[in-house]
Amino acid sequence: MCPMNAVNRIAIVSLSSGILGESFVRFEVEIGLRRLKEYGLNVKFTPNALKGMEYVKAHPEKRAEDLLEAFRDPEIDMILCAIGGDDTYRLLPYLFEHNELSEAAANKIFLGFSDTTINHLMLHKVGIRTYYGQAFLPDLCELGPEMHPYTRKYFEELITTGGIREIRPSDVWYGEREMFSPDQVGKALIPRPNQGFELLQGPARFSGKILGGCIDTLYDVFCGDRYADMPEMCRKYHLFPEAHEWEGKILLLESSEEKPSPEKYRKALEQLKGIGVFDAVNGVLAGKPMDETYAGEYKKLLTEVISRPDLPILFNLNIGHAMPRCIMPFGIEASVDAEQQVIRFGE
């Protein structure tokens, strides 16, 4: 129990997948709700968050309404994404056509990852700081006896202080949970030793405000392989920051549960390079791949494709799809020290 929460009331939104409303995950939802209530938090599901996958998929306008309502509600302190997915870009017209998001957005905690990368970019566009790295179903609803301790530590810090002071590596990591069924409740994943942050090149110390997210999703902003209309829509609403807007920032990249092939990872890096991101940023942070799949290949590609030896690249952060997960503030000045194995945040 945390008696002095900075957060009192949480709104849970389904901005991508509507899986939260399906009966087969109800037992997981109950686990997550119990944990949130043990922190003394009041939880509200937005009107469409529990309507299921088919409805949520078919109604991006309702997803947008939920986000706007959560920002407008003065009693909501924190907006927590249910999970990722793959098509939250479809909210763009309902949030930007008539400046809906800019008029509703307020300085509340917004937390999510994966496809939610797109929502982070939306909120960055209207000047809202956000938090990347955890979500309700993957983290609060963890089937083990408790949340992963490293994950829990950062979630507790966020709800009790309203921010994140620093990030250090986890001592362990876990492989992907292969089964999600009621008979798995209480079964802990096997911890494996973690080697900490790995500086691939460049100075050990660098600083800047962090922005980025899931590299698969960032690639989809420019490539229509997944959704043919996504690049056009993202261009129409100027979702991705221009090259000059990356100046002085730190780029975060982490890979999804789809475990993108080295070929796709290369294409994504080449896309970012082609639009000038790597010429502008002060450094790159790269998350541990799920199950460490292609870790060696990704490390090689980061240095090879970026091809700028003076640019710091820090690999193996516990952020994104590999468990456990920290929480990373976007839009707040960060100081990275690879030698001391710490990222500190502050104005």
Coordinates of all heavy atoms in Angstrom, one line a residue, residues 200-201 213-220 222-223 240 251-255 260-279 281 283-287 294-308 311-315:
L200 N 28.0 0.8 -27.2 CA 28.5 0.3 -28.4 C 29.5 1.2 -29.1 O 30.5 0.7 -29.8 CB 27.3 0.1 -29.4 CG 26.2 -0.9 -29.0 CD1 25.2 -1.1 -30.1 CD2 26.8 -2.2 -28.5
Q201 N 29.4 2.5 -28.9 CA 30.3 3.4 -29.5 C 30.1 4.8 -28.9 O 29.0 5.1 -28.2 CB 30.2 3.5 -31.0 CG 28.8 4.1 -31.4 CD 28.8 4.3 -32.9 OE1 29.2 3.5 -33.7 NE2 28.2 5.4 -33.3
G213 N 10.6 5.2 -29.5 CA 9.7 4.1 -29.2 C 10.0 2.8 -29.9 O 11.1 2.5 -30.1
C214 N 8.9 2.1 -30.3 CA 9.1 0.8 -31.0 C 9.5 1.0 -32.4 O 8.9 1.7 -33.2 CB 7.7 0.1 -30.9 SG 7.8 -1.5 -31.7
I215 N 10.7 0.4 -32.8 CA 11.2 0.6 -34.1 C 10.3 0.1 -35.2 O 10.3 0.6 -36.3 CB 12.7 0.0 -34.2 CG1 13.4 0.5 -35.5 CG2 12.6 -1.5 -34.1 CD1 14.8 0.2 -35.5
D216 N 9.6 -1.0 -34.9 CA 8.6 -1.5 -35.9 C 7.6 -0.5 -36.2 O 7.2 -0.3 -37.4 CB 7.9 -2.8 -35.3 CG 8.8 -3.8 -34.7 OD1 9.7 -3.4 -33.8 OD2 8.7 -5.0 -35.0
T217 N 7.1 0.1 -35.2 CA 6.0 1.1 -35.4 C 6.5 2.4 -36.1 O 5.9 2.9 -37.0 CB 5.4 1.6 -34.0 OG1 4.9 0.4 -33.3 CG2 4.3 2.5 -34.2
L218 N 7.8 2.8 -35.7 CA 8.4 4.0 -36.4 C 8.6 3.7 -37.9 O 8.4 4.5 -38.7 CB 9.7 4.3 -35.7 CG 9.6 4.8 -34.3 CD1 10.9 5.1 -33.7 CD2 8.8 6.1 -34.2
Y219 N 8.9 2.4 -38.2 CA 9.1 2.0 -39.6 C 7.8 2.1 -40.3 O 7.7 2.6 -41.5 CB 9.7 0.6 -39.7 CG 9.9 0.2 -41.1 CD1 10.8 0.9 -42.0 CD2 9.4 -1.0 -41.6 CE1 11.0 0.4 -43.3 CE2 9.6 -1.5 -42.8 CZ 10.4 -0.8 -43.7 OH 10.7 -1.2 -45.0
D220 N 6.7 1.7 -39.7 CA 5.4 1.7 -40.3 C 4.9 3.1 -40.6 O 4.0 3.3 -41.5 CB 4.3 1.0 -39.4 CG 4.6 -0.5 -39.3 OD1 5.2 -1.0 -40.2 OD2 4.1 -1.1 -38.3
F222 N 6.5 5.2 -42.2 CA 7.0 5.5 -43.5 C 6.8 4.4 -44.5 O 6.9 4.7 -45.7 CB 8.5 5.8 -43.4 CG 8.9 6.9 -42.4 CD1 9.3 6.6 -41.2 CD2 8.8 8.2 -42.8 CE1 9.6 7.6 -40.3 CE2 9.1 9.2 -41.9 CZ 9.5 8.9 -40.6
C223 N 6.5 3.2 -44.0 CA 6.3 2.1 -44.9 C 4.9 1.5 -44.8 O 4.4 1.3 -43.7 CB 7.3 1.0 -44.6 SG 7.1 -0.6 -45.5
F240 N 5.4 12.7 -37.6 CA 6.8 12.4 -37.2 C 7.6 13.8 -37.2 O 7.5 14.5 -38.2 CB 7.5 11.4 -38.2 CG 8.8 10.9 -37.7 CD1 8.8 9.8 -36.8 CD2 10.0 11.4 -38.1 CE1 10.0 9.3 -36.4 CE2 11.2 10.9 -37.6 CZ 11.2 9.9 -36.8
L251 N 17.4 9.5 -29.2 CA 16.4 8.7 -29.8 C 16.4 7.3 -29.1 O 17.4 6.7 -28.9 CB 16.8 8.4 -31.3 CG 16.0 7.4 -32.0 CD1 14.5 7.9 -32.2 CD2 16.6 7.1 -33.4
L252 N 15.2 6.9 -28.7 CA 14.9 5.6 -28.1 C 14.4 4.7 -29.2 O 13.5 5.0 -29.9 CB 13.9 5.7 -27.0 CG 13.4 4.3 -26.4 CD1 14.6 3.6 -25.7 CD2 12.2 4.5 -25.5
L253 N 15.0 3.5 -29.3 CA 14.5 2.4 -30.2 C 14.4 1.1 -29.4 O 15.4 0.7 -28.7 CB 15.5 2.3 -31.3 CG 15.7 3.5 -32.3 CD1 16.8 3.2 -33.3 CD2 14.4 3.8 -33.0
E254 N 13.3 0.5 -29.5 CA 13.2 -0.9 -28.9 C 12.3 -1.7 -29.9 O 11.5 -1.1 -30.6 CB 12.6 -0.8 -27.5 CG 11.2 -0.2 -27.4 CD 10.0 -1.2 -27.6 OE1 10.3 -2.4 -27.6 OE2 8.9 -0.7 -27.6
S255 N 12.5 -3.0 -29.9 CA 11.9 -3.9 -31.0 C 10.7 -4.6 -30.4 O 10.7 -5.0 -29.2 CB 12.9 -4.8 -31.6 OG 13.7 -5.5 -30.6
P260 N 11.6 -8.4 -35.2 CA 11.9 -8.0 -36.6 C 13.2 -8.6 -37.0 O 14.2 -8.6 -36.3 CB 11.9 -6.5 -36.6 CG 12.1 -6.1 -35.2 CD 11.4 -7.2 -34.3
S261 N 13.2 -9.1 -38.2 CA 14.4 -9.7 -38.8 C 15.5 -8.6 -38.9 O 15.2 -7.4 -39.0 CB 14.1 -10.3 -40.2 OG 13.8 -9.2 -41.1
P262 N 16.7 -9.1 -39.0 CA 17.8 -8.1 -39.2 C 17.6 -7.2 -40.5 O 17.9 -6.1 -40.5 CB 19.0 -8.9 -39.3 CG 18.7 -10.1 -38.5 CD 17.3 -10.4 -38.7
E263 N 17.0 -7.8 -41.5 CA 16.7 -7.1 -42.7 C 15.7 -6.0 -42.5 O 15.9 -4.8 -43.0 CB 16.1 -8.1 -43.8 CG 17.1 -9.1 -44.3 CD 17.4 -10.2 -43.3 OE1 16.6 -10.4 -42.4 OE2 18.4 -10.9 -43.5
K264 N 14.6 -6.3 -41.7 CA 13.7 -5.2 -41.4 C 14.3 -4.2 -40.5 O 14.0 -3.0 -40.6 CB 12.4 -5.8 -40.8 CG 11.3 -4.8 -40.5 CD 10.0 -5.4 -40.0 CE 9.0 -4.3 -39.7 NZ 7.7 -4.9 -39.3
Y265 N 15.1 -4.6 -39.5 CA 15.7 -3.7 -38.6 C 16.6 -2.7 -39.4 O 16.6 -1.5 -39.1 CB 16.5 -4.5 -37.6 CG 16.9 -3.7 -36.3 CD1 16.0 -3.7 -35.2 CD2 18.1 -3.1 -36.2 CE1 16.3 -3.0 -34.0 CE2 18.4 -2.4 -35.0 CZ 17.6 -2.4 -33.9 OH 17.9 -1.7 -32.8
R266 N 17.3 -3.3 -40.3 CA 18.2 -2.4 -41.2 C 17.4 -1.4 -41.9 O 17.7 -0.2 -42.0 CB 19.0 -3.3 -42.1 CG 19.8 -2.5 -43.1 CD 20.5 -3.3 -44.2 NE 21.6 -4.1 -43.7 CZ 22.8 -3.6 -43.6 NH1 23.1 -2.3 -44.0 NH2 23.8 -4.3 -43.1
K267 N 16.3 -1.8 -42.5 CA 15.5 -0.9 -43.3 C 14.9 0.2 -42.4 O 14.8 1.4 -42.9 CB 14.3 -1.7 -44.0 CG 14.7 -2.6 -45.1 CD 13.5 -3.3 -45.7 CE 13.9 -4.2 -46.8 NZ 12.7 -5.0 -47.3
A268 N 14.5 -0.1 -41.2 CA 14.0 0.9 -40.3 C 15.1 1.9 -40.0 O 14.9 3.1 -40.0 CB 13.5 0.2 -39.0
L269 N 16.3 1.4 -39.7 CA 17.4 2.3 -39.4 C 17.8 3.2 -40.6 O 18.0 4.4 -40.5 CB 18.6 1.5 -38.9 CG 18.6 0.8 -37.6 CD1 19.8 0.0 -37.3 CD2 18.4 1.8 -36.4
E270 N 17.8 2.6 -41.8 CA 18.1 3.3 -43.0 C 17.0 4.4 -43.3 O 17.4 5.5 -43.7 CB 18.2 2.4 -44.2 CG 19.4 1.5 -44.2 CD 19.5 0.5 -45.3 OE1 18.4 0.2 -45.9 OE2 20.6 -0.1 -45.5
Q271 N 15.8 4.1 -42.9 CA 14.7 5.1 -43.1 C 15.0 6.3 -42.2 O 14.9 7.5 -42.6 CB 13.4 4.5 -42.8 CG 12.2 5.5 -42.9 CD 12.0 6.0 -44.3 OE1 11.8 5.3 -45.2 NE2 12.0 7.3 -44.4
L272 N 15.3 6.0 -40.9 CA 15.5 7.1 -40.0 C 16.8 7.9 -40.4 O 16.8 9.1 -40.2 CB 15.7 6.5 -38.6 CG 14.4 5.9 -38.0 CD1 14.8 5.2 -36.7 CD2 13.4 7.0 -37.7
K273 N 17.8 7.2 -40.9 CA 19.0 7.9 -41.3 C 18.7 8.8 -42.5 O 19.2 9.9 -42.6 CB 20.1 6.8 -41.7 CG 21.4 7.5 -42.1 CD 22.4 6.4 -42.5 CE 23.7 7.0 -42.9 NZ 24.8 6.0 -43.2
G274 N 17.9 8.3 -43.4 CA 17.6 9.0 -44.7 C 16.9 10.3 -44.4 O 17.1 11.2 -45.2
I275 N 16.1 10.4 -43.3 CA 15.4 11.7 -43.1 C 16.2 12.6 -42.1 O 15.7 13.6 -41.7 CB 14.0 11.4 -42.5 CG1 14.0 10.6 -41.3 CG2 13.2 10.7 -43.6 CD1 12.7 10.3 -40.7
G276 N 17.4 12.1 -41.8 CA 18.3 13.0 -41.0 C 18.3 12.9 -39.5 O 18.9 13.7 -38.8
V277 N 17.6 11.9 -39.0 CA 17.5 11.8 -37.5 C 18.8 11.6 -36.9 O 19.2 12.3 -35.9 CB 16.5 10.6 -37.1 CG1 16.5 10.4 -35.6 CG2 15.1 11.0 -37.6
F278 N 19.7 10.7 -37.4 CA 21.0 10.4 -36.8 C 22.0 11.5 -36.9 O 23.0 11.5 -36.1 CB 21.5 9.1 -37.3 CG 20.6 7.9 -37.0 CD1 20.2 7.1 -38.1 CD2 20.2 7.6 -35.7 CE1 19.4 6.0 -37.8 CE2 19.4 6.5 -35.4 CZ 19.0 5.7 -36.5
D279 N 21.8 12.4 -37.8 CA 22.6 13.6 -37.9 C 22.3 14.6 -36.9 O 23.1 15.5 -36.6 CB 22.5 14.2 -39.3 CG 23.1 13.4 -40.4 OD1 24.1 12.6 -40.1 OD2 22.7 13.4 -41.5
V281 N 20.5 13.9 -33.6 CA 20.4 13.6 -32.2 C 21.7 13.6 -31.5 O 22.8 13.5 -32.1 CB 19.7 12.2 -32.0 CG1 18.3 12.2 -32.5 CG2 20.5 11.1 -32.8
G283 N 22.4 11.2 -29.2 CA 22.7 9.8 -28.8 C 21.5 8.9 -29.1 O 20.4 9.4 -29.5
V284 N 21.7 7.6 -29.0 CA 20.7 6.6 -29.3 C 20.7 5.6 -28.1 O 21.7 5.1 -27.7 CB 21.0 5.8 -30.6 CG1 20.0 4.7 -30.8 CG2 21.0 6.7 -31.8
L285 N 19.5 5.3 -27.6 CA 19.3 4.3 -26.6 C 18.5 3.1 -27.3 O 17.5 3.3 -28.0 CB 18.4 4.8 -25.5 CG 18.9 6.1 -24.7 CD1 17.9 6.5 -23.7 CD2 20.3 5.8 -24.1
A286 N 19.0 1.9 -27.1 CA 18.3 0.7 -27.7 C 18.0 -0.3 -26.7 O 18.8 -0.7 -25.8 CB 19.3 0.1 -28.8
G287 N 16.7 -0.7 -26.7 CA 16.2 -1.7 -25.7 C 16.7 -3.1 -26.0 O 17.0 -3.5 -27.1
Y294 N 18.2 -11.8 -32.0 CA 18.9 -10.9 -32.9 C 19.7 -9.8 -32.2 O 20.1 -8.8 -32.9 CB 18.0 -10.3 -33.9 CG 17.2 -11.2 -34.8 CD1 15.8 -11.2 -35.0 CD2 17.9 -12.2 -35.6 CE1 15.1 -12.0 -35.8 CE2 17.2 -13.1 -36.4 CZ 15.8 -13.0 -36.5 OH 15.1 -13.9 -37.3
A295 N 20.0 -10.0 -30.9 CA 20.7 -8.9 -30.2 C 22.1 -8.6 -30.9 O 22.4 -7.5 -31.1 CB 20.9 -9.3 -28.8
G296 N 22.8 -9.7 -31.2 CA 24.1 -9.4 -31.9 C 24.0 -8.7 -33.2 O 24.7 -7.8 -33.6
E297 N 23.0 -9.2 -34.0 CA 22.8 -8.6 -35.3 C 22.3 -7.1 -35.2 O 22.8 -6.2 -35.9 CB 21.7 -9.3 -36.1 CG 22.1 -10.7 -36.5 CD 21.9 -11.8 -35.5 OE1 21.7 -11.5 -34.3 OE2 21.8 -13.0 -35.9
Y298 N 21.4 -6.8 -34.2 CA 21.0 -5.4 -34.0 C 22.1 -4.5 -33.6 O 22.2 -3.4 -34.1 CB 19.9 -5.4 -32.9 CG 18.6 -6.0 -33.3 CD1 17.6 -6.1 -32.4 CD2 18.3 -6.5 -34.6 CE1 16.3 -6.7 -32.7 CE2 17.1 -7.1 -34.9 CZ 16.1 -7.2 -33.9 OH 14.9 -7.7 -34.2
K299 N 23.0 -5.0 -32.7 CA 24.1 -4.2 -32.3 C 25.0 -3.8 -33.5 O 25.5 -2.7 -33.7 CB 24.9 -4.9 -31.2 CG 24.3 -5.0 -29.9 CD 25.2 -5.5 -28.8 CE 25.4 -6.9 -28.9 NZ 26.2 -7.4 -27.7
K300 N 25.3 -4.8 -34.3 CA 26.1 -4.6 -35.5 C 25.5 -3.6 -36.4 O 26.1 -2.7 -37.0 CB 26.4 -5.9 -36.2 CG 27.3 -5.8 -37.4 CD 27.6 -7.1 -38.1 CE 28.4 -7.0 -39.3 NZ 28.7 -8.3 -40.0
L301 N 24.2 -3.7 -36.6 CA 23.4 -2.9 -37.6 C 23.4 -1.4 -37.1 O 23.5 -0.5 -37.8 CB 22.0 -3.4 -37.8 CG 21.9 -4.6 -38.7 CD1 20.5 -5.2 -38.6 CD2 22.3 -4.3 -40.1
L302 N 23.2 -1.2 -35.8 CA 23.2 0.1 -35.2 C 24.5 0.9 -35.5 O 24.4 2.0 -36.0 CB 23.0 0.0 -33.7 CG 21.5 -0.3 -33.2 CD1 21.5 -0.7 -31.8 CD2 20.6 1.0 -33.4
T303 N 25.6 0.3 -35.3 CA 26.8 1.0 -35.6 C 27.1 1.1 -37.1 O 27.6 2.1 -37.6 CB 28.0 0.3 -34.9 OG1 28.1 -1.1 -35.4 CG2 27.9 0.3 -33.4
E304 N 26.7 0.0 -37.8 CA 27.0 0.0 -39.3 C 26.2 1.0 -40.1 O 26.6 1.7 -40.9 CB 26.8 -1.4 -39.8 CG 27.1 -1.6 -41.3 CD 26.8 -3.1 -41.7 OE1 27.5 -4.0 -41.1 OE2 25.9 -3.3 -42.5
V305 N 24.8 1.0 -39.8 CA 23.9 1.8 -40.6 C 24.0 3.3 -40.2 O 24.1 4.2 -41.0 CB 22.5 1.3 -40.4 CG1 21.5 2.3 -41.1 CG2 22.3 -0.1 -41.0
I306 N 24.1 3.5 -38.9 CA 24.2 4.9 -38.4 C 25.5 5.5 -38.9 O 25.5 6.7 -39.3 CB 24.1 5.0 -36.9 CG1 22.7 4.6 -36.4 CG2 24.4 6.4 -36.4 CD1 22.5 4.5 -34.9
S307 N 26.6 4.7 -38.9 CA 27.8 5.1 -39.5 C 28.3 6.5 -39.1 O 28.6 7.4 -39.9 CB 27.7 5.1 -41.0 OG 28.9 5.3 -41.7
R308 N 28.2 6.7 -37.8 CA 28.7 8.0 -37.2 C 29.4 7.7 -35.9 O 28.7 7.7 -34.8 CB 27.5 8.9 -37.0 CG 27.9 10.4 -36.7 CD 26.7 11.2 -36.4 NE 27.0 12.2 -35.3 CZ 26.2 12.9 -34.7 NH1 24.9 12.8 -34.9 NH2 26.6 13.7 -33.7
L311 N 28.7 9.3 -32.4 CA 27.4 9.3 -31.8 C 27.3 8.2 -30.8 O 27.4 7.0 -31.1 CB 26.3 9.1 -32.9 CG 24.9 9.2 -32.4 CD1 24.6 10.7 -32.0 CD2 23.9 8.8 -33.5
P312 N 27.0 8.5 -29.5 CA 26.9 7.5 -28.5 C 25.7 6.6 -28.8 O 24.6 7.1 -29.1 CB 26.6 8.2 -27.2 CG 27.0 9.7 -27.5 CD 26.8 9.9 -29.0
I313 N 25.9 5.3 -28.7 CA 24.8 4.3 -28.8 C 24.9 3.4 -27.6 O 25.9 2.7 -27.4 CB 24.9 3.4 -30.1 CG1 24.9 4.4 -31.3 CG2 23.8 2.4 -30.2 CD1 25.2 3.6 -32.6
L314 N 23.8 3.4 -26.8 CA 23.7 2.6 -25.6 C 22.7 1.5 -25.8 O 21.5 1.8 -26.1 CB 23.4 3.5 -24.4 CG 23.6 2.8 -23.0 CD1 25.1 2.6 -22.7 CD2 23.0 3.7 -21.9
F315 N 23.1 0.2 -25.6 CA 22.3 -0.9 -26.0 C 21.9 -1.7 -24.7 O 22.5 -1.5 -23.6 CB 23.1 -1.9 -26.9 CG 22.3 -3.0 -27.5 CD1 21.5 -2.7 -28.6 CD2 22.3 -4.3 -27.0 CE1 20.7 -3.7 -29.2 CE2 21.6 -5.3 -27.6 CZ 20.8 -5.0 -28.7

